[in-house]
Amino acid sequence: MKVSKREMILNTIFIIGCIGILVSAIYMMNVSKSREYKVVLVLKTSETMDFWINLISGAHMGAELYGVDFEIRAVDVETDVEGQIELIKETMVDAPDALLITSSTYSDLTPILEEIIETGVRVVLVDSIIDKDIVDSVVATDNVLAGEKIGRYAASLIEEGDIIGVISHIEDSSTAIERELGLRKGLGVKENCIIDVQFCYSSYERAEELTKEMILQYPNISMVIGLNDNATIGAGRAIKELGMGTQIRMVGIDASMEMIRYIEEGICDGIIVQKAFNMGFLGVEQAVKILMGDEVEAFIDSGCELITRDNLYEIENQKMLFPFQDKNLN
Amino acid sequence: MLGRRKPILRRFKTIKGAMMYSFSVLIIVALVIFWWIAYNYTKDTVFNNSIAYSSQIVKQVNSDIDSYINYMENISLIIMESKDVQDFLFENKSAEELVDARQRIISQIDTIRSSRDDIVNIAILSECGHVIVNQGIEGLNPYIEKESNQWYVDTLRAEDGVNISSSHVQNLIRSSYDWVITLSRMIENQQTGFVEGIFFIDLNYESISNLCNNSVMGESGYIFIIDEHGGIIYHPQQQLLYGELREEKIQEVLYSNQDYMLVEERDKNRLYTMYQSEKTNWTVVSVAYIDELLTYKDAAQVWYTIVTILLIVATVVISNMIARILSRPIGELQNAMDTVVKGEFKEVEVKIEDENELGALSKSFNIMTERIANLIDQNKFEQEEKRKSELRALQSQINPHFLYNTLDSIIWMSAARKNDEVVEMTSALSKLFRQSISNDNEELTIREEIEYVRNYLTIQKMRYADKLSYEFHVVDEIMEESIIKFALQPLVENTIYHGLKYKKEGGLLKVKGWFEKDQNRIVIELEDNGVGMTKEALQNIFKEKKIDHKKNGVGVLNVQRRLQLAYGIDYGIHYASEEGVGTVVTMHIPRREIIHES
């Protein structure tokens, strides 16, 4: 009896000790084992526009902050829809947890995305939307709002009866549709000033040509509005070349170094700058939240800002406009 | 009841148990206390170390920046103090001389710029419109007014004429929008004494950010720098801040009068450590996540816990072993004690292994048991001696009355000239005496004892004539068995004096002897038809005081005692008597060979 009691005490202590060690070992293992998500950003272009540079650096910042295994893949040109579908298929081979997609088309990516979502991969659309509500979340500039902002600013610059020419980018793309919608809303009663809307299909040269044609066609044109980066820059180039900076007012959406110079020079009166950095960052953040099982909003407006000569060098805007990539190392 | 409970340690059945229990409890309590202190101490220490480490880093970064800025200021002085600058900006020189001065300045700027990667721009400008930017090729941005830049205004206002800007986009120089930190100096016209120009060096923003990034603040900690107005010089998440996606505790840092502060926000607690440079007035702030700092703590604490558990297990096991070893002699002592309690004193010696109290106790125990054993032996010896002397006393006690009576009878017979009877009686008497003195042996054969009784009875028969007759019915089988000396004769004597003597005539004494096989014992029976005994007499027959020494020196008690001493209490004599009918004395003795003691 005595012996068995003593052994019982010993055994109990031993077992408690072993359990304690086991528990702490498991605890330590758990501490060191935290899952790293793999997120791939599929870009619709590999152009080095400031917009994309900012978006990418925002995404990188997000990936770094959230400790995500992050990768960027891109097709060469925005118009290569087939290429983007192929790229998405290739990306799927690496079994990512989530995809950030900047769609080049409103409807053509839908089938492949449906396929992907079915396999359990989470998808966040960045910058542009698609025709079906199938993705987990969308992070983009509220294009209607952006259009509205530029519309309201434009309305403040012109008189009723003035003539406005609009250079848009791709005819049935969601961004083009929404921005034009917003623009007309922002112009309010001056909406009927819009005399022409042309599409440059994301080509600087085409935008420049279209602007020149427009100026030729309507000599008393008082304002040109560009609805994306290419369109705005093209318009700016045309006006500068024609030396009509003082006669013709110009506003647009999307910034670039060139555009900033035009603002400094007074060719351009103001631009709406999308917060591309925020877009990239929020895209990654959304993806991480979704993967962690958090509730997320279906649409996040990454925001945009009106930049004019007056607020160009405000410190907050400097960061938005002038990305510091490796530029400074030149 | 409750108040009178026994102390816990007394409630254990064994000392070993008590020791093990108390050791274990003490060890566990002690180690748990130690663990708790270490656990909390670690937390504090890690935290304090983190603060110390952070301030060290912050100071290091700060001094790096200071020395960097110092270096740049020195570079700026080299150019500033050259006479060419004054000549170029303010002197009214010929166009040729101006070009020469300009060329010299440019080559000097060039030398400096080519030797350093971190200098983006070096420029000199005067109020009156003279400008040199870098190699002289780049000009000023025609659309930007100098005065719209804060750093430009600040430089003109600076007391010592030196200003270091926050990080900003340099828009003064045409077609360059670099993120820089501008180190600027005002240039005084030595002739007029007025400030009429500005010299500035644009430092690559990364030269500062690299200084901050080099220092690691845990996994996701970081370092940022703000100027005295709270403007951000460097912040790794600057764009997030401007994009309003993140907030930084800039105001809190700016107005904190301590060199560290804790910011508690939901699940993420951060440690801010700051240090303000006297040179630049910049404040270098390091941010560390408490969770990450405390991962070291966690690791340390996990180890403390594991070590504590292992120590508890090890020490409990070892203390149990010690308890077992220490208490083993007690167990042995207890076993020996149990043996002694059962009456065994021999071969109980306890092995003495310890030199402590238990060893002394065991030693004493051994001495005690040995002494008791000796005493018992001695006691036995003395008893024996006593018996022997009693026997001798018996031998010498038979005689007085008996001898007197016998001799008297012999005298009378001699007087009556009954020679034959005299011979017979004398012969019997002499045999009787010879037998009683023949040897010192305590035991003899039944035959010898019977012979002794027969001689005795011969004498008595002659004395009492018709009053007494006797018969012997002792089987031969038991004749060679042993019996203690003088076992029968006193009983026969008793029978005669108490039973037969009072009978007028026809007294008969039968001496029977046989072997009771089933009991393995010898039975000797003296049966008489004397007057018998009263119940009272029968009851008192073994009582000492009733022994009549005058009539009969040896009592029945004596015989009984000796029988039982020799053979154990299962043996002895038994009386059965009835008044007027007679008495039967039955003696039981074990069957065994005679043991002749030497």
Side-chain angles (χ1 to χ4, degrees), chain B residues 33-55:
Chain B
I33 290 171
F34 167 77
W35 171 83
W36 188 81
I37 291 169
Y39 194 92
N40 287 291
Y41 179 73
T42 317
K43 204 167 140 189
D44 293 348
T45 312
V46 167
F47 187 67
N48 289 331
N49 283 348
S50 304
I51 292 174
Y53 172 74
S54 300
S55 6

PDB file of all heavy atoms in Angstrom, chain B residues 33-55:
ATOM      1  N   ILE B  33       7.818  29.871  -6.681  1.00  0.00           N
ATOM      2  CA  ILE B  33       8.099  31.266  -6.313  1.00  0.00           C
ATOM      3  C   ILE B  33       9.244  31.807  -7.156  1.00  0.00           C
ATOM      4  O   ILE B  33       9.168  32.878  -7.746  1.00  0.00           O
ATOM      5  CB  ILE B  33       8.435  31.379  -4.810  1.00  0.00           C
ATOM      6  CG1 ILE B  33       7.173  31.121  -3.983  1.00  0.00           C
ATOM      7  CG2 ILE B  33       9.019  32.755  -4.482  1.00  0.00           C
ATOM      8  CD1 ILE B  33       7.433  31.003  -2.510  1.00  0.00           C
ATOM      9  N   PHE B  34      10.293  30.996  -7.249  1.00  0.00           N
ATOM     10  CA  PHE B  34      11.446  31.405  -8.056  1.00  0.00           C
ATOM     11  C   PHE B  34      11.013  31.666  -9.498  1.00  0.00           C
ATOM     12  O   PHE B  34      11.380  32.664 -10.098  1.00  0.00           O
ATOM     13  CB  PHE B  34      12.516  30.315  -8.027  1.00  0.00           C
ATOM     14  CG  PHE B  34      13.579  30.505  -9.063  1.00  0.00           C
ATOM     15  CD1 PHE B  34      14.580  31.447  -8.879  1.00  0.00           C
ATOM     16  CD2 PHE B  34      13.567  29.769 -10.233  1.00  0.00           C
ATOM     17  CE1 PHE B  34      15.542  31.642  -9.841  1.00  0.00           C
ATOM     18  CE2 PHE B  34      14.535  29.965 -11.195  1.00  0.00           C
ATOM     19  CZ  PHE B  34      15.524  30.896 -10.999  1.00  0.00           C
ATOM     20  N   TRP B  35      10.212  30.718 -10.011  1.00  0.00           N
ATOM     21  CA  TRP B  35       9.745  30.836 -11.397  1.00  0.00           C
ATOM     22  C   TRP B  35       8.952  32.125 -11.588  1.00  0.00           C
ATOM     23  O   TRP B  35       9.156  32.854 -12.559  1.00  0.00           O
ATOM     24  CB  TRP B  35       8.881  29.622 -11.721  1.00  0.00           C
ATOM     25  CG  TRP B  35       8.174  29.732 -13.038  1.00  0.00           C
ATOM     26  CD1 TRP B  35       8.681  29.439 -14.265  1.00  0.00           C
ATOM     27  CD2 TRP B  35       6.831  30.168 -13.248  1.00  0.00           C
ATOM     28  NE1 TRP B  35       7.739  29.675 -15.222  1.00  0.00           N
ATOM     29  CE2 TRP B  35       6.607  30.121 -14.632  1.00  0.00           C
ATOM     30  CE3 TRP B  35       5.818  30.583 -12.406  1.00  0.00           C
ATOM     31  CZ2 TRP B  35       5.394  30.471 -15.176  1.00  0.00           C
ATOM     32  CZ3 TRP B  35       4.619  30.938 -12.958  1.00  0.00           C
ATOM     33  CH2 TRP B  35       4.415  30.878 -14.324  1.00  0.00           C
ATOM     34  N   TRP B  36       8.096  32.389 -10.627  1.00  0.00           N
ATOM     35  CA  TRP B  36       7.235  33.573 -10.731  1.00  0.00           C
ATOM     36  C   TRP B  36       8.069  34.843 -10.757  1.00  0.00           C
ATOM     37  O   TRP B  36       7.865  35.741 -11.563  1.00  0.00           O
ATOM     38  CB  TRP B  36       6.260  33.579  -9.555  1.00  0.00           C
ATOM     39  CG  TRP B  36       5.223  34.648  -9.680  1.00  0.00           C
ATOM     40  CD1 TRP B  36       4.079  34.596 -10.426  1.00  0.00           C
ATOM     41  CD2 TRP B  36       5.222  35.929  -9.037  1.00  0.00           C
ATOM     42  NE1 TRP B  36       3.385  35.765 -10.296  1.00  0.00           N
ATOM     43  CE2 TRP B  36       4.055  36.597  -9.443  1.00  0.00           C
ATOM     44  CE3 TRP B  36       6.096  36.562  -8.163  1.00  0.00           C
ATOM     45  CZ2 TRP B  36       3.736  37.858  -9.002  1.00  0.00           C
ATOM     46  CZ3 TRP B  36       5.784  37.832  -7.729  1.00  0.00           C
ATOM     47  CH2 TRP B  36       4.611  38.459  -8.143  1.00  0.00           C
ATOM     48  N   ILE B  37       9.080  34.865  -9.848  1.00  0.00           N
ATOM     49  CA  ILE B  37       9.944  36.047  -9.800  1.00  0.00           C
ATOM     50  C   ILE B  37      10.708  36.186 -11.110  1.00  0.00           C
ATOM     51  O   ILE B  37      10.743  37.255 -11.720  1.00  0.00           O
ATOM     52  CB  ILE B  37      10.914  35.958  -8.599  1.00  0.00           C
ATOM     53  CG1 ILE B  37      10.112  36.096  -7.290  1.00  0.00           C
ATOM     54  CG2 ILE B  37      11.982  37.035  -8.684  1.00  0.00           C
ATOM     55  CD1 ILE B  37      10.914  35.772  -6.064  1.00  0.00           C
ATOM     56  N   ALA B  38      11.285  35.058 -11.550  1.00  0.00           N
ATOM     57  CA  ALA B  38      12.065  35.092 -12.787  1.00  0.00           C
ATOM     58  C   ALA B  38      11.183  35.522 -13.951  1.00  0.00           C
ATOM     59  O   ALA B  38      11.573  36.339 -14.783  1.00  0.00           O
ATOM     60  CB  ALA B  38      12.659  33.713 -13.068  1.00  0.00           C
ATOM     61  N   TYR B  39       9.950  34.975 -13.950  1.00  0.00           N
ATOM     62  CA  TYR B  39       9.009  35.256 -15.027  1.00  0.00           C
ATOM     63  C   TYR B  39       8.746  36.755 -15.118  1.00  0.00           C
ATOM     64  O   TYR B  39       8.850  37.353 -16.184  1.00  0.00           O
ATOM     65  CB  TYR B  39       7.710  34.515 -14.719  1.00  0.00           C
ATOM     66  CG  TYR B  39       6.746  34.428 -15.867  1.00  0.00           C
ATOM     67  CD1 TYR B  39       6.783  33.329 -16.723  1.00  0.00           C
ATOM     68  CD2 TYR B  39       5.791  35.400 -16.066  1.00  0.00           C
ATOM     69  CE1 TYR B  39       5.898  33.222 -17.764  1.00  0.00           C
ATOM     70  CE2 TYR B  39       4.896  35.295 -17.123  1.00  0.00           C
ATOM     71  CZ  TYR B  39       4.955  34.212 -17.963  1.00  0.00           C
ATOM     72  OH  TYR B  39       4.084  34.110 -18.978  1.00  0.00           O
ATOM     73  N   ASN B  40       8.438  37.343 -13.983  1.00  0.00           N
ATOM     74  CA  ASN B  40       8.115  38.762 -13.982  1.00  0.00           C
ATOM     75  C   ASN B  40       9.351  39.624 -14.160  1.00  0.00           C
ATOM     76  O   ASN B  40       9.302  40.667 -14.803  1.00  0.00           O
ATOM     77  CB  ASN B  40       7.397  39.142 -12.691  1.00  0.00           C
ATOM     78  CG  ASN B  40       5.994  38.613 -12.709  1.00  0.00           C
ATOM     79  OD1 ASN B  40       5.161  39.079 -13.467  1.00  0.00           O
ATOM     80  ND2 ASN B  40       5.729  37.593 -11.916  1.00  0.00           N
ATOM     81  N   TYR B  41      10.438  39.134 -13.564  1.00  0.00           N
ATOM     82  CA  TYR B  41      11.682  39.868 -13.681  1.00  0.00           C
ATOM     83  C   TYR B  41      12.072  39.958 -15.152  1.00  0.00           C
ATOM     84  O   TYR B  41      12.490  41.002 -15.635  1.00  0.00           O
ATOM     85  CB  TYR B  41      12.765  39.175 -12.874  1.00  0.00           C
ATOM     86  CG  TYR B  41      14.105  39.857 -12.947  1.00  0.00           C
ATOM     87  CD1 TYR B  41      14.325  41.062 -12.273  1.00  0.00           C
ATOM     88  CD2 TYR B  41      15.142  39.312 -13.681  1.00  0.00           C
ATOM     89  CE1 TYR B  41      15.542  41.687 -12.338  1.00  0.00           C
ATOM     90  CE2 TYR B  41      16.362  39.937 -13.754  1.00  0.00           C
ATOM     91  CZ  TYR B  41      16.560  41.120 -13.078  1.00  0.00           C
ATOM     92  OH  TYR B  41      17.767  41.744 -13.151  1.00  0.00           O
ATOM     93  N   THR B  42      11.904  38.823 -15.872  1.00  0.00           N
ATOM     94  CA  THR B  42      12.226  38.784 -17.290  1.00  0.00           C
ATOM     95  C   THR B  42      11.455  39.845 -18.041  1.00  0.00           C
ATOM     96  O   THR B  42      11.996  40.568 -18.859  1.00  0.00           O
ATOM     97  CB  THR B  42      11.835  37.423 -17.883  1.00  0.00           C
ATOM     98  OG1 THR B  42      12.225  36.431 -16.982  1.00  0.00           O
ATOM     99  CG2 THR B  42      12.490  37.217 -19.215  1.00  0.00           C
ATOM    100  N   LYS B  43      10.147  39.895 -17.717  1.00  0.00           N
ATOM    101  CA  LYS B  43       9.276  40.843 -18.405  1.00  0.00           C
ATOM    102  C   LYS B  43       9.829  42.259 -18.239  1.00  0.00           C
ATOM    103  O   LYS B  43      10.030  42.978 -19.210  1.00  0.00           O
ATOM    104  CB  LYS B  43       7.880  40.738 -17.804  1.00  0.00           C
ATOM    105  CG  LYS B  43       6.782  41.183 -18.716  1.00  0.00           C
ATOM    106  CD  LYS B  43       5.460  40.741 -18.143  1.00  0.00           C
ATOM    107  CE  LYS B  43       4.419  41.800 -18.313  1.00  0.00           C
ATOM    108  NZ  LYS B  43       3.205  41.468 -17.568  1.00  0.00           N
ATOM    109  N   ASP B  44      10.088  42.607 -16.960  1.00  0.00           N
ATOM    110  CA  ASP B  44      10.597  43.941 -16.687  1.00  0.00           C
ATOM    111  C   ASP B  44      11.941  44.173 -17.344  1.00  0.00           C
ATOM    112  O   ASP B  44      12.189  45.205 -17.955  1.00  0.00           O
ATOM    113  CB  ASP B  44      10.726  44.165 -15.172  1.00  0.00           C
ATOM    114  CG  ASP B  44       9.356  44.190 -14.524  1.00  0.00           C
ATOM    115  OD1 ASP B  44       8.371  44.266 -15.288  1.00  0.00           O
ATOM    116  OD2 ASP B  44       9.284  44.133 -13.292  1.00  0.00           O
ATOM    117  N   THR B  45      12.808  43.165 -17.183  1.00  0.00           N
ATOM    118  CA  THR B  45      14.159  43.321 -17.703  1.00  0.00           C
ATOM    119  C   THR B  45      14.142  43.484 -19.201  1.00  0.00           C
ATOM    120  O   THR B  45      14.789  44.380 -19.748  1.00  0.00           O
ATOM    121  CB  THR B  45      15.014  42.089 -17.344  1.00  0.00           C
ATOM    122  OG1 THR B  45      14.817  41.813 -15.986  1.00  0.00           O
ATOM    123  CG2 THR B  45      16.456  42.342 -17.629  1.00  0.00           C
ATOM    124  N   VAL B  46      13.384  42.597 -19.855  1.00  0.00           N
ATOM    125  CA  VAL B  46      13.323  42.674 -21.309  1.00  0.00           C
ATOM    126  C   VAL B  46      12.806  44.039 -21.726  1.00  0.00           C
ATOM    127  O   VAL B  46      13.339  44.683 -22.627  1.00  0.00           O
ATOM    128  CB  VAL B  46      12.430  41.549 -21.879  1.00  0.00           C
ATOM    129  CG1 VAL B  46      12.114  41.812 -23.338  1.00  0.00           C
ATOM    130  CG2 VAL B  46      13.104  40.213 -21.720  1.00  0.00           C
ATOM    131  N   PHE B  47      11.795  44.487 -21.010  1.00  0.00           N
ATOM    132  CA  PHE B  47      11.209  45.780 -21.349  1.00  0.00           C
ATOM    133  C   PHE B  47      12.228  46.908 -21.149  1.00  0.00           C
ATOM    134  O   PHE B  47      12.438  47.741 -22.033  1.00  0.00           O
ATOM    135  CB  PHE B  47       9.964  46.019 -20.494  1.00  0.00           C
ATOM    136  CG  PHE B  47       9.219  47.243 -20.886  1.00  0.00           C
ATOM    137  CD1 PHE B  47       8.590  47.317 -22.113  1.00  0.00           C
ATOM    138  CD2 PHE B  47       9.158  48.335 -20.034  1.00  0.00           C
ATOM    139  CE1 PHE B  47       7.906  48.455 -22.488  1.00  0.00           C
ATOM    140  CE2 PHE B  47       8.477  49.473 -20.406  1.00  0.00           C
ATOM    141  CZ  PHE B  47       7.850  49.529 -21.631  1.00  0.00           C
ATOM    142  N   ASN B  48      12.889  46.878 -19.986  1.00  0.00           N
ATOM    143  CA  ASN B  48      13.882  47.918 -19.711  1.00  0.00           C
ATOM    144  C   ASN B  48      15.042  47.843 -20.686  1.00  0.00           C
ATOM    145  O   ASN B  48      15.537  48.869 -21.157  1.00  0.00           O
ATOM    146  CB  ASN B  48      14.392  47.804 -18.268  1.00  0.00           C
ATOM    147  CG  ASN B  48      13.320  48.220 -17.291  1.00  0.00           C
ATOM    148  OD1 ASN B  48      12.477  49.047 -17.612  1.00  0.00           O
ATOM    149  ND2 ASN B  48      13.339  47.636 -16.107  1.00  0.00           N
ATOM    150  N   ASN B  49      15.447  46.611 -20.992  1.00  0.00           N
ATOM    151  CA  ASN B  49      16.534  46.438 -21.955  1.00  0.00           C
ATOM    152  C   ASN B  49      16.125  47.005 -23.302  1.00  0.00           C
ATOM    153  O   ASN B  49      16.940  47.615 -24.000  1.00  0.00           O
ATOM    154  CB  ASN B  49      16.890  44.963 -22.108  1.00  0.00           C
ATOM    155  CG  ASN B  49      17.718  44.468 -20.946  1.00  0.00           C
ATOM    156  OD1 ASN B  49      18.201  45.279 -20.142  1.00  0.00           O
ATOM    157  ND2 ASN B  49      17.892  43.178 -20.844  1.00  0.00           N
ATOM    158  N   SER B  50      14.859  46.770 -23.632  1.00  0.00           N
ATOM    159  CA  SER B  50      14.379  47.265 -24.918  1.00  0.00           C
ATOM    160  C   SER B  50      14.458  48.775 -24.959  1.00  0.00           C
ATOM    161  O   SER B  50      14.884  49.360 -25.953  1.00  0.00           O
ATOM    162  CB  SER B  50      12.935  46.832 -25.149  1.00  0.00           C
ATOM    163  OG  SER B  50      12.839  45.441 -25.052  1.00  0.00           O
ATOM    164  N   ILE B  51      14.046  49.401 -23.868  1.00  0.00           N
ATOM    165  CA  ILE B  51      14.103  50.861 -23.817  1.00  0.00           C
ATOM    166  C   ILE B  51      15.550  51.315 -23.969  1.00  0.00           C
ATOM    167  O   ILE B  51      15.866  52.203 -24.772  1.00  0.00           O
ATOM    168  CB  ILE B  51      13.507  51.387 -22.496  1.00  0.00           C
ATOM    169  CG1 ILE B  51      12.008  51.127 -22.484  1.00  0.00           C
ATOM    170  CG2 ILE B  51      13.785  52.874 -22.337  1.00  0.00           C
ATOM    171  CD1 ILE B  51      11.344  51.470 -21.181  1.00  0.00           C
ATOM    172  N   ALA B  52      16.432  50.636 -23.210  1.00  0.00           N
ATOM    173  CA  ALA B  52      17.844  51.008 -23.265  1.00  0.00           C
ATOM    174  C   ALA B  52      18.389  50.815 -24.679  1.00  0.00           C
ATOM    175  O   ALA B  52      19.069  51.697 -25.224  1.00  0.00           O
ATOM    176  CB  ALA B  52      18.649  50.169 -22.281  1.00  0.00           C
ATOM    177  N   TYR B  53      18.029  49.665 -25.258  1.00  0.00           N
ATOM    178  CA  TYR B  53      18.508  49.355 -26.601  1.00  0.00           C
ATOM    179  C   TYR B  53      17.987  50.380 -27.599  1.00  0.00           C
ATOM    180  O   TYR B  53      18.728  50.905 -28.429  1.00  0.00           O
ATOM    181  CB  TYR B  53      18.043  47.952 -26.980  1.00  0.00           C
ATOM    182  CG  TYR B  53      18.306  47.555 -28.407  1.00  0.00           C
ATOM    183  CD1 TYR B  53      19.593  47.238 -28.832  1.00  0.00           C
ATOM    184  CD2 TYR B  53      17.265  47.485 -29.322  1.00  0.00           C
ATOM    185  CE1 TYR B  53      19.837  46.883 -30.138  1.00  0.00           C
ATOM    186  CE2 TYR B  53      17.493  47.127 -30.629  1.00  0.00           C
ATOM    187  CZ  TYR B  53      18.789  46.827 -31.044  1.00  0.00           C
ATOM    188  OH  TYR B  53      19.013  46.473 -32.340  1.00  0.00           O
ATOM    189  N   SER B  54      16.689  50.685 -27.460  1.00  0.00           N
ATOM    190  CA  SER B  54      16.077  51.628 -28.386  1.00  0.00           C
ATOM    191  C   SER B  54      16.731  52.994 -28.281  1.00  0.00           C
ATOM    192  O   SER B  54      17.063  53.613 -29.296  1.00  0.00           O
ATOM    193  CB  SER B  54      14.582  51.757 -28.106  1.00  0.00           C
ATOM    194  OG  SER B  54      13.962  50.523 -28.260  1.00  0.00           O
ATOM    195  N   SER B  55      16.938  53.460 -27.052  1.00  0.00           N
ATOM    196  CA  SER B  55      17.524  54.802 -26.936  1.00  0.00           C
ATOM    197  C   SER B  55      18.931  54.811 -27.490  1.00  0.00           C
ATOM    198  O   SER B  55      19.359  55.805 -28.085  1.00  0.00           O
ATOM    199  CB  SER B  55      17.534  55.347 -25.500  1.00  0.00           C
ATOM    200  OG  SER B  55      17.117  54.427 -24.599  1.00  0.00           O
TER     201      SER B  55
END
